[in-house]
Amino acid sequence: MTVMKILQRYQEASGQVVNLEKSEASYSRNVCDVVKLTIQNRIQIKTVARHSKYLGLSVIFGRSKKEIFKLVIERVWKKLKGWKEKFLSRAGKEVLIKAVAQAIQII
């Protein structure tokens, strides 16, 4: 099956192993139920019941990436607000923003 060949090739190239027990498949609404069941049974993988978030971001990206990442930007600026960043050099501001962006939890 093509999907398994792709996963095998990924594993060989990356040195990582895909854990099918933790993996889920998501399908376009154009895929019929018979095809979904066939893939699910051959690969032994679950089908996504409900699309959720991964690392705080939506798993499904729409056309507007700005809307998705706008939340991240707002949260970073919210964390920075009130700090006296105006007294930092440009390099200091960059380090501060990167540190806040990496430490922020997006839920």
Side-chain angles (χ1 to χ4, degrees):
M1 176 174 227
T2 305
V3 174
M4 290 306 292
K5 287 179 185 176
I6 292 169
L7 290 176
Q8 183 65 35
R9 196 167 229 186
Y10 169 80
Q11 292 177 131
E12 291 168 359
S14 68
Q16 298 176 336
V17 178
V18 175
N19 185 342
L20 295 177
E21 291 178 15
K22 292 183 179 180
S23 300
E24 294 179 330
S26 177
Y27 303 94
S28 162
R29 64 182 103 163
N30 299 329
V31 178
C32 67
D33 291 338
V34 174
V35 173
K36 290 178 192 177
L37 284 172
T38 302
I39 293 170
Q40 187 176 352
N41 290 333
R42 283 194 185 167
I43 302 177
Q44 294 298 309
I45 193 171
K46 294 174 271 188
T47 299
V48 174
R50 193 183 110 219
H51 292 288
S52 59
K53 294 184 176 187
Y54 179 72
L55 298 177
L57 295 174
S58 176
V59 175
I60 303 297
F61 287 110
R63 293 189 185 269
S64 175
K65 310 296 184 276
K66 283 184 179 181
E67 287 300 314
I68 293 167
F69 292 107
K70 188 169 139 182
L71 173 68
V72 176
I73 293 168
E74 287 173 2
R75 291 188 62 125
V76 169
W77 284 118
K78 187 177 177 182
K79 290 283 185 186
L80 291 173
K81 193 184 276 187
W83 292 7
K84 296 182 181 181
E85 71 274 4
K86 61 185 173 188
F87 298 117
L88 295 174
S89 66
R90 180 177 170 90
K93 288 178 184 178
E94 287 180 20
V95 170
L96 177 63
I97 290 170
K98 287 177 185 176
V100 171
Q102 289 175 350
I104 198 168
Q105 289 186 349
I106 304 168
I107 299 175

